[in-house]
Amino acid sequence: MNMMKIIVCIKQVPDPKEFSKITIDPLRKTIVREGIQSIINPLDRHALEEALRIREKHGGRVVVLSMGPPQAIEACREALAFGADEAFLLCDKLLAGSDTLATAYALSKAVRRLEPYSLILCGNETVDGSTGQVPPQLAEFLEIPHVTRVRKIEIMDDEAVVESVLEYGYRVVKVKLPAVLSVVKEINTPRILSVFGIIEASSKKINQWCVSDIDASIDMIGLEGSPTRVTDVFTPEVKRRCEIFSGSVEEAVRKAVRRLHEIGVL
């Protein structure tokens, strides 16, 4: 097997700890991110950690690829501090409003510029969208195999043997490389950021590309190139009702169960 190049796709997302502060722009129907702390998507951290472990075992290079606004450079810098060799940020106003398909298309065009590569790792989904659509769509644009919900990866020559989580168990899949694998949190425990890593990352260059750099078709990116879009956002009304049942514990339980049957819960 030639020297491996592992591409890790990461996304900067709002910190889940601050989700209660998130508001929605009523006109654009998008998340208002101002004032919200941003982090690398948690599952993307696991993807990066797995790439670093594969590099430690088999050698090669780990390249981080992200798409987002200028502040996403912070996520790229953090990925370099964790140990990535190189980082690329796809940043262009023309990409604003891209849905998962337009995002996967833009990423695929960027990946083409990074050829040759051995493996692409992604988090299985992001905390802000949770669709899980980008990794499979990326693989389809690149015309390479993909496996989702991966919890274990073993590299054997030009193949990968992976365990993919199912609802009641897992399956073992052998896939030809290059391939796209999207991982779940069970795959590893990400390492702790070190001071040495932060210092070393400060000297590494973050490459920034715009749409013209990746030769992407304008009609396939951004809001206009997205076949899906958010048409409305609303806060669901939550109604609660309380009923108190008196008597002994056994009697109260019987009344509660009877009532749950009456309202169709049981």
Side-chain angles (χ1 to χ4, degrees), residues 91-152:
C91 182
D92 196 312
K93 290 182 179 179
L94 293 172
L95 296 167
S98 294
D99 68 355
T100 61
L101 191 66
T103 297
Y105 168 74
L107 289 174
S108 73
K109 299 296 285 186
V111 168
R112 293 290 189 191
R113 278 207 59 183
L114 295 172
E115 292 178 333
Y117 58 90
S118 310
L119 182 64
I120 299 176
L121 295 180
C122 312
N124 201 71
E125 66 269 332
T126 58
V127 294
D128 58 348
S130 299
T131 64
Q133 295 172 350
V134 171
Q137 291 171 335
L138 174 59
E140 288 300 309
F141 278 119
L142 294 171
E143 299 182 300
I144 59 177
H146 74 274
V147 184
T148 61
R149 301 188 59 79
V150 173
R151 73 174 188 182
K152 184 178 180 180

Side-chain angles (χ1 to χ4, degrees), residues 193-255:
L193 197 60
S194 68
V195 175
F196 177 77
I198 295 173
I199 295 174
E200 189 176 25
S202 64
S203 62
K204 293 181 179 178
K205 178 185 176 182
I206 297 177
N207 305 279
Q208 295 191 55
W209 286 345
C210 60
V211 169
S212 61
D213 291 319
I214 59 173
D215 194 29
S217 299
I218 301 300
D219 59 353
M220 291 188 65
I221 60 172
L223 189 61
E224 295 305 315
S226 299
T228 60
R229 63 188 63 188
V230 178
T231 59
D232 194 17
V233 177
F234 64 93
T235 301
E237 183 180 356
V238 179
K239 294 182 179 179
R240 295 182 177 179
R241 185 173 60 191
C242 176
E243 294 186 31
I244 300 176
F245 301 98
S246 59
S248 65
V249 174
E250 291 80 7
E251 185 178 359
V253 170
R254 284 196 296 271
K255 291 179 180 179

Side-chain angles (χ1 to χ4, degrees), residues 77-89:
R77 182 73 64 193
E78 185 177 355
L80 291 173
F82 275 110
D85 297 291
E86 201 171 7
F88 292 82
L89 174 62

Side-chain angles (χ1 to χ4, degrees), residues 154-170:
E154 290 290 340
I155 303 297
M156 302 174 62
D157 296 323
D158 58 349
E159 294 181 330
V161 178
V162 306
E163 290 184 6
S164 173
V165 179
L166 302 175
E167 187 174 3
Y168 298 107
Y170 68 95

